[in-house]
Amino acid sequence: MLRAVIDTNVFLSALWSSRGAAFEIFAELRRGRWQMILSNHLLFEYEEVGKRNAVEMNLTLDDIDAVLDALCASAEHRQLEPDWIPRLIDPDDEPLLQLAVEGGVPVIVTRNARHLKPAQNFGIEVLTPAEFLARLKESE
């Protein structure tokens, strides 16, 4: 089963609209088609960004909590090690790379591939939501 780390921008896109690749990726997760890898750091980031934008998305804080609970129930959880040496230009993206490297995760899904390009040096593919969705469809 394909394992992936999902950037917060993809999570937020899925909340904003039920159309498009980001939403479909999470629909495929519910169908058990791939395995999400999640750390506490990433979960807290999802929560902060989701709740900050909830009203604009016509969602309640309880709606965000329900989505996060569902993700936690299906995700593989990893704890980040404290001695990670930063390798990216944007420090906000560093936990994504760290999670993928430490968890042996082959894919990071993001709308900002440029900042995560160094992940390729670790053998990690950086895919857009549409590319990841196409990969899932190929494996059917």
Side-chain angles (χ1 to χ4, degrees):
M1 181 174 294
L2 186 57
R3 299 165 70 233
V5 173
I6 305 297
D7 196 348
T8 306
N9 56 44
V10 177
F11 170 74
L12 191 60
S13 292
L15 292 177
W16 270 106
S17 174
S18 61
R19 298 180 184 185
F23 184 85
E24 188 60 29
I25 285 170
F26 286 97
E28 292 292 319
L29 178 65
R30 285 190 307 272
R31 295 179 190 112
R33 300 266 300 120
W34 64 280
Q35 179 66 56
M36 181 179 199
I37 312 304
L38 194 59
S39 67
N40 282 347
H41 181 279
L42 190 53
L43 176 64
F44 291 141
E45 188 173 310
Y46 286 178
E47 179 182 35
E48 190 274 323
V49 171
K51 288 184 175 182
R52 183 176 64 220
N53 292 283
V55 172
E56 293 176 59
M57 296 183 292
N58 294 318
L59 298 171
T60 67
L61 299 182
D62 287 341
D63 292 334
I64 300 298
D65 285 340
V67 170
L68 295 173
D69 287 348
L71 292 179
C72 286
S74 66
E76 176 185 322
H77 299 271
R78 302 280 310 188
Q79 184 171 338
L80 299 179
E81 296 297 324
D83 58 350
W84 178 257
I85 299 168
R87 293 167 173 90
L88 300 174
I89 294 169
D90 185 350
D92 290 338
D93 290 330
E94 206 66 55
L96 294 170
L97 176 59
Q98 182 180 1
L99 180 57
V101 170
E102 291 178 357
V105 182
V107 176
I108 296 173
V109 183
T110 184
R111 293 187 176 281
N112 190 8
R114 183 177 43 119
H115 285 171
L116 288 159
K117 193 166 179 71
Q120 295 170 343
N121 297 333
F122 295 90
I124 298 166
E125 285 186 279
V126 179
L127 302 176
T128 66
E131 291 168 338
F132 184 68
L133 191 57
R135 177 77 50 86
L136 287 175
K137 301 291 183 184
E138 287 172 5
S139 65
E140 286 183 341

